[in-house]
Amino acid sequence: AASAQFQLAVPLAVVFAPGSVPGDLPRPLPFRDVQEMEIAVNLRTSITSRYELLYRRTTAQEEAALDVATPREADAALRPLQDTSLGSLTVYVVPETSSILPQGINVYVGKHRSALVRAGGTLAALRPRLRQLQQVMSFTASSIAAALSDRPPDGRLGPDARRHLKSSLGYEITFSLLNPDPKSHLVEWDIEDAVNRYVQPVLDKLSLVANFSVDSQILYYAVLGVTPRFDKESSSFLLSAHSLPHVINPVEARLGSSAASLYPVLNFLLYVPERSHSPLYIQDKDGAPVRTNAFHSPRWGGIMVYNVEAPASPQASLPLRVGVDMVRVMEVFLAQLRLLFGLSREELPPEFLVESPGNEGLADWELDRLLWAHTVENIATVSTTLTSLAQLLDKIGNIVIKDDVASEVYQAVASAQSAMAKLATGHLHSAFQASKEAVTSSERAFFDPSLLHLLYFPDDQKFAIYIPLFLPMAVPILLSLAKIVREARQRTKEPTKMD
Amino acid sequence: VCTSRFWFNYRHVANTLSVYRSVKRLGIPDSHIVLMLADDMACNPRNPKPATVFSHKNMELNVYGDDVEVDYRSYEVTVENFLRVLTGRIPPSTPRSKRLLSDDRSNILIYMTGHGGNGFLKFQDSEEITNVELADAFEQMWQKRRYNELLFIIDTCQGASMYERFYSPNIMALASSQVGEDSLSHQPDLGIGVHLMDRYTFYVLEFLEEIHPSSQTNMNDLFQVCPKSLCVSTPGHRTDLFQRDPQSVLITDFFGSVRKVEITTETISLDHDVTGFESKLPKDELATEPLKYAEQLPVAQIIHQKPKQKDWHPPGGFILGLWALIIMVFFKTYGIKHMKHVF
C-alpha cells in the first residue's frame, strides 16, 4: 500500500493596473504570498496545492496593452509580456470603472494563461474571484481526484469514476465514413484537407501531451445495429437515446486498427443514413432532437449522423453526389475529442466570460489542466506498478531480475522522484516529461516477459520432484556410511581393548 | 479457452466455439475476444463433415462457420501463453489481436473447458495449470488494474476447485461441478461418433439463446442454470469476492457489450478561412529525405537480452558420480567377496 504526498505548486501573478489597487493590502506592493490547501483524496494519498502569489503593479508596457477596447485584444497584447511557462497564471486586475470588460462581466478568461478581473475595491472582495479563477484555470480537487480514481483504497469503484481517456504515450485517431447505401449516395469527403486544416492544429497543440497518429477510411454497406423509428409529426426517422448504446457494436467489428501500435484508438464515425431512412435525427432523453446529431462514448470515440437533403426533383438520377461539409463535421468531432479528454466547459457564474480558443481547439490553461491531471496520474501509476512488482518479488523469492529490468526500475524511481520535485516547485513542463519517462520505464519493467512466475519453480516444487528420486537411493548409502563409521570406531577402540 | 486436443475431445472445442458465437451475437467484436483453441477438429481426417464443428445432435448448428477468428491455435495454447495473455507480460513482437488490451473499466469474461482435476486443469495433455497459479495471475491483473470485474466460468470435472484459491476483489466464478464430481457430456452424435457438447455448457447456451443485447436478466438466473436433475453434477458459484450484489449484475455486463454513451451537446466554432494553412506547404520539402525502413521490433533490446534460461537438468556426470559412490560404499561395507552373491 503505497502512500503518496503530492505537492502541486502554481506560480500565480496578480497584477494591479493603476486605479485598481485595493485599500486593504497587508503590505506595500510588490509582495509575495503563499496559499496552501490540502486536498484529501483517500486515506493514503493527499494533495497539497500551493499557489505562490506575487502581487505587483503593472509595468508601463502592460498598461499600454490594457489600454485597448476589447479584452481579446488585451489578451493578445499581454501575451508576450507575461510568464508563459506551463502551469503559471497571470491575473490582471483592472479598475472597477474600466470599460475594457463589457457590462455585467467581471472576469474574463483568455485563451492563453491570463485573465482580467474587475477590482472589487478591497482585497477581501477580490479573493473569491481569484479563488474561482484558480479552480477554473489550473486544477480542482475533483479533477485531481478523478485522475487518481483507479486506485481505490478498498477496491470499490464508484459508478461515476472517471471515464476520461487514461494518460497514454500516444493515441490513434481514426476517421471513418460509413455509407450504408452507396447506390443512392455517392459521398465524397475531403478528409485529408480537413485534417490538415482543422485537426492538425489541435493535435499540434496537444503534441505536448502525447503522440497522435491519424488515419481515415470509408466503409460501405456498414449499417447501424438499430432500426430507427419513423415519426409522423416531423416526418423523419428518430434514434432514441436508450437505443444508442447498441449502435456501436455491430459497426466496431468492421473498424480496423493498426496491428503494430498498442495505443488506445479513438474512432470518429460519420454516418450518412440510407435514402429510405433519411432524414435521421438523434433524440435525447426528453425526446427533443439533438442539435449536433451526434453522440460519443467515453474511451471509444464519437458518431455523427449527417443527413443528406432530399433531391429537389424526385426524378433526380441516383446515386446523388454528396459533398460533405467538413467544417460542420469537424466542429462536432473536435468537440467530442475535447470531451473524451475531459476538457469540458464547466458551469460558471454569469459574470465570467471565457474566450473561445478558436481553431487551436483548446486554450493554454486547458492544456495545463490536462497536464496537471496526467502528471499526477502518471506518478500514481508508477508508484502502484513498482509497489506491486516489489510484492511479486517478495512472494516468489527466486525470480531472476535481468540487468535491463533492474535499470528500468531504477530509472523509473529516479524519474518519478524528479517529477514530484518539479511539481513541488511549479515546473509543470519538466514534471510532465519526467512523469512520462517514469511511466515508460516502469511499464517496461513490470511487463517484461521474463517475469512470468511460471518460469521459476518454488522451492517446495523442487523438493517434491527430487526427493522421491534420491531418497530411496540414499537409504543404502547412509546405512553403509553409518556402518563404516561404526567399524572405524571399533578398530580404533580395539587396540586399547587388547592391551 | 479450450485446453484439449485430439478427436475425442470434440466436445470441448464445440463448447468453446458455442460460447464464442453467443458472445459475438450479443455484440462483442473479434478485436475484444481472445480465442485459444487447438483447432484440430474442423480439418481432422476423422471428421465426416470437414470444415464444420457441430454443437447439436442432428447437425443443426455449425459453430465453426467462416467467421471464426482463432488467436492462439494448436500448440500455441500453453499455460505459459495463457498466463502471458492474462498478465500482459508478452514479447513486444506480439500483434494486437493476441493481446488482452483491457483497462480498469473493462469487464472480462473467461471461459475455460477441458479435462481437470482437484486443483488443476490439464492443458493439451502435456502440462497443467494449478488453481494457485491462476489466482496469482488474477492478482497480478488486479494490481495493474487490468479489469474492473471478472467472470470466470469453467466446465471441467471438479471445476469448483479451480476457483477456491481466488483472493483478488471483483471476481465472480461459476463451475460445472464440485470437488469430487465429474462433469458429464451431453449427447453423442452417431453420425460424427463423438460426444458433441458438455451438459453444463449446453444448458448455459440454451439460457443465453434467450438473452438479447438489451435484456435485463441478471446473474442469479445464470446460477440456476443446469440443476442437478439435468446436469447430474452440482454446479457451483462463488460471489464473495464480488462487490456488487449478483442480483444487480446483468448478463450483458459480461456476455454482451453495452457501452455508456453521452449525447454531444457542445460544438466548438471553427474559423473557415484559415490563412495559416499556407504555412503547411513547406513540409513537402522534407519528403525528399531518403526513406528509411521503420524498425518494427526493438532490435537493441532483443540483441542485448541474455539467452532464455533453460530448465535446470542435473548434469549427466552427477548421476554417474552418484552411482559410483553407491557402488564404492557398498563394496567397502560388505567386501568384494560378496560380489558373486549380488550378480
Side-chain angles (χ1 to χ4, degrees), chain B residues 131-149:
Chain B
N131 49 7
V132 176
E133 281 167 355
L134 197 55
D136 284 342
F138 287 160
E139 176 64 16
Q140 289 287 291
M141 287 173 79
W142 174 250
Q143 292 279 330
K144 208 61 185 76
R145 298 292 181 270
R146 280 164 72 78
Y147 69 88
N148 174 26
E149 290 170 346

Side-chain angles (χ1 to χ4, degrees), chain A residues 150-152 154-159 161-163 166 172 193 196-198 200 204 241 244-246 248-249 252-253 257-265 282-284 290-292 294-300 327 330-332 334-336 338-339 343-345 356 358-359 361 381 384-385 388-389 391-392 395 400 402-404 443-444 446-457 461 466 470 473 477 480-481 483-484 487, chain B residues 26-32 79-81 83-84 87-92 94-97 99 101 103-106 127-128 130 132-137 139-148 167 169-170 212-215 243 256-275 277-278 280 283 296 301 304-306 308-309 311-314 318-319 322-323 325-326 328-330 332-334:
Chain A
D150 69 339
R151 305 170 69 220
D154 48 6
R156 212 172 327 128
L157 281 171
R162 179 195 189 200
R163 287 171 295 133
K166 284 176 67 109
E172 264 186 50
D193 181 66
N196 285 336
R197 230 181 242 271
Y198 305 117
Q200 202 55 48
D204 287 340
L244 292 176
H246 307 294
I248 297 179
N249 287 318
E252 181 156 18
S257 58
S258 161
S261 96
L262 297 172
Y263 293 148
V265 180
I282 298 179
Q283 256 182 343
D284 63 15
V290 174
R291 184 177 62 87
T292 56
F295 64 98
H296 61 277
S297 178
R299 296 199 185 176
W300 183 80
V327 177
M330 282 303 163
E331 285 183 346
V332 173
L334 290 174
Q336 287 178 337
R338 279 172 53 101
L339 289 168
L343 302 167
S344 57
R345 286 283 141 80
S356 147
N359 278 29
T381 312
T384 341
T385 310
S388 83
L389 188 59
Q391 281 174 349
L392 175 69
K395 213 161 161 240
V400 169
K402 296 194 304 202
D403 287 340
D404 52 328
E443 299 275 307
R444 229 181 272 148
F446 187 86
F447 287 119
D448 190 84
S450 72
L451 290 177
L452 200 63
H453 60 270
L454 194 56
L455 303 173
Y456 302 100
F457 299 107
Q461 273 194 15
Y466 290 119
F470 291 125
M473 252 200 298
I477 297 181
S480 315
L481 282 172
K483 194 156 193 276
I484 293 172
E487 270 181 16
Chain B
L26 290 171
I28 302 189
D30 272 315
S31 55
H32 288 231
V79 176
E80 182 183 334
N81 280 345
L83 291 179
R84 282 196 190 283
T87 55
R89 296 199 166 106
I90 280 189
T94 319
R96 209 177 168 117
S97 57
R99 289 180 187 250
L101 295 169
D103 58 19
D104 59 312
R105 304 300 296 165
S106 310
E127 45 182 5
E128 297 141 6
T130 56
V132 176
E133 281 167 355
L134 197 55
D136 284 342
E139 176 64 16
Q140 289 287 291
M141 287 173 79
W142 174 250
Q143 292 279 330
K144 208 61 185 76
R145 298 292 181 270
R146 280 164 72 78
Y147 69 88
N148 174 26
Y167 54 95
N170 283 355
H212 53 89
S214 48
S215 90
Q243 303 288 343
S257 172
V258 182
R259 296 183 189 268
K260 291 190 169 49
V261 295
E262 290 167 14
I263 307 274
T264 310
T265 48
E266 297 177 9
T267 52
I268 68 172
S269 55
L270 286 175
D271 205 4
H272 294 231
D273 315 306
V274 180
T275 53
F277 181 48
E278 272 62 67
K280 300 282 182 219
K283 266 200 189 157
Q296 304 279 354
Q301 207 182 336
H304 292 115
Q305 231 174 38
K306 299 216 174 56
K308 184 176 163 189
Q309 258 185 320
D311 297 321
W312 182 74
H313 299 289
F318 178 70
I319 300 282
L322 199 61
W323 276 106
L325 177 65
I326 294 171
M328 247 179 37
V329 168
F330 177 78
K332 182 78 178 79
T333 324
Y334 296 105

Side-chain angles (χ1 to χ4, degrees), chain A residues 234-257:
Chain A
S234 55
S235 67
S236 59
F237 288 85
L238 296 173
L239 270 180
S240 60
H242 64 80
S243 64
L244 292 176
H246 307 294
V247 166
I248 297 179
N249 287 318
V251 183
E252 181 156 18
R254 309 265 322 262
L255 301 170
S257 58

Side-chain angles (χ1 to χ4, degrees), chain A residues 110-404:
Chain A
K111 60 180 184 177
H112 301 294
R113 291 189 174 89
S114 60
L116 300 178
V117 178
R118 203 187 288 274
T122 60
L123 194 58
L126 193 60
R127 279 239 165 88
R129 289 197 188 132
L130 272 183
R131 208 165 295 134
Q132 190 146 28
L133 257 184
Q134 287 166 355
Q135 300 268 357
V136 167
M137 292 179 80
S138 59
F139 49 83
T140 57
S142 59
S143 71
I144 296 292
L148 296 171
S149 71
D150 69 339
R151 305 170 69 220
D154 48 6
R156 212 172 327 128
L157 281 171
D160 51 354
R162 179 195 189 200
R163 287 171 295 133
H164 306 150
L165 287 169
K166 284 176 67 109
S167 162
S168 161
L169 293 166
Y171 301 94
E172 264 186 50
I173 299 185
T174 307
F175 292 102
S176 309
L177 174 64
L178 302 176
N179 187 356
D181 197 6
K183 286 201 277 285
S184 310
H185 298 133
L186 185 62
V187 187
E188 289 163 350
W189 69 343
D190 194 357
I191 184 72
E192 196 173 339
D193 181 66
V195 164
N196 285 336
R197 230 181 242 271
Y198 305 117
V199 180
Q200 202 55 48
V202 180
L203 295 183
D204 287 340
K205 190 108 187 243
L206 283 172
S207 62
L208 229 99
V209 177
N211 296 329
F212 287 92
S213 72
V214 180
D215 33 51
S216 69
Q217 61 180 340
I218 305 183
L219 293 174
Y220 294 105
Y221 294 107
V223 292
L224 302 179
V226 182
T227 320
R229 271 183 323 108
F230 183 70
D231 181 47
K232 281 203 251 312
E233 288 153 18
S234 55
S235 67
S236 59
F237 288 85
L238 296 173
L239 270 180
S240 60
H242 64 80
S243 64
L244 292 176
H246 307 294
V247 166
I248 297 179
N249 287 318
V251 183
E252 181 156 18
R254 309 265 322 262
L255 301 170
S257 58
S258 161
S261 96
L262 297 172
Y263 293 148
V265 180
L266 300 177
N267 294 297
F268 292 101
L269 272 54
L270 186 65
Y271 182 74
V272 179
E274 305 116 312
R275 191 127 178 278
S276 53
H277 281 148
S278 287
L280 179 62
Y281 295 108
I282 298 179
Q283 256 182 343
D284 63 15
K285 279 191 282 292
D286 308 318
V290 174
R291 184 177 62 87
T292 56
N293 223 10
F295 64 98
H296 61 277
S297 178
R299 296 199 185 176
W300 183 80
I303 299 187
M304 177 179 175
V305 177
Y306 189 88
N307 285 315
V308 174
E309 281 171 20
S313 63
Q315 268 80 29
S317 66
L318 298 175
L320 302 165
R321 287 189 84 96
V322 180
V324 177
D325 178 9
M326 294 309 294
V327 177
R328 216 182 92 208
V329 168
M330 282 303 163
E331 285 183 346
V332 173
F333 280 162
L334 290 174
Q336 287 178 337
L337 182 68
R338 279 172 53 101
L339 289 168
L340 288 169
F341 270 103
L343 302 167
S344 57
R345 286 283 141 80
E346 289 158 3
E347 285 300 316
L348 288 170
E351 61 172 10
F352 274 67
L353 173 64
V354 180
E355 176 70 50
S356 147
N359 278 29
E360 280 197 325
L362 64 160
D364 287 349
W365 52 269
E366 287 180 313
L367 181 64
D368 286 352
R369 278 184 78 103
L370 206 54
L371 287 176
W372 288 114
H374 280 199
T375 311
V376 170
E377 186 185 339
N378 285 348
I379 298 179
T381 312
V382 170
S383 83
T384 341
T385 310
L386 292 178
T387 316
S388 83
L389 188 59
Q391 281 174 349
L392 175 69
L393 298 180
D394 278 340
K395 213 161 161 240
I396 305 176
N398 51 351
I399 269 194
V400 169
I401 300 290
K402 296 194 304 202
D403 287 340
D404 52 328

